[in-house]
Amino acid sequence: IILNNKAMFKLFKKKTELDKLNLKYKKLLEEAHNFSNINRRLSDEKIAEATVILGKIEHLEKFQFQL
């Protein structure tokens, strides 16, 4: 398998806290969407969790750009 340099380095690059939070946020939104037709209460809980994660993401982004 031939990989270009960028792809090769991505294999070994550790995920930052911001990357982890973004993945978790997307996952929660997907779960909320899946639950929206089945169980509205669970969907609302997932959205509430995603909102908390979004606040953390915004805080980290704000802190990173201040440096």
Side-chain angles (χ1 to χ4, degrees), residues 34-47:
N34 291 338
F35 283 127
S36 65
N37 291 330
I38 301 168
N39 189 334
R40 185 65 188 175
R41 183 183 57 81
L42 282 177
S43 176
D44 290 343
E45 287 176 7
K46 296 294 180 181
I47 290 173

Side-chain angles (χ1 to χ4, degrees), residues 22-66:
N22 276 320
L23 288 173
K24 190 171 184 178
Y25 177 72
K26 286 181 182 182
K27 181 182 173 200
L28 286 169
L29 287 181
E30 287 177 12
E31 289 176 0
H33 178 71
N34 291 338
F35 283 127
S36 65
N37 291 330
I38 301 168
N39 189 334
R40 185 65 188 175
R41 183 183 57 81
L42 282 177
S43 176
D44 290 343
E45 287 176 7
K46 296 294 180 181
I47 290 173
E49 289 178 43
T51 304
V52 171
I53 298 296
L54 182 61
K56 291 179 182 180
I57 290 170
E58 290 172 348
H59 177 72
L60 280 176
E61 286 176 343
K62 183 179 176 183
F63 181 73
Q64 280 184 343
F65 290 121
Q66 285 180 348

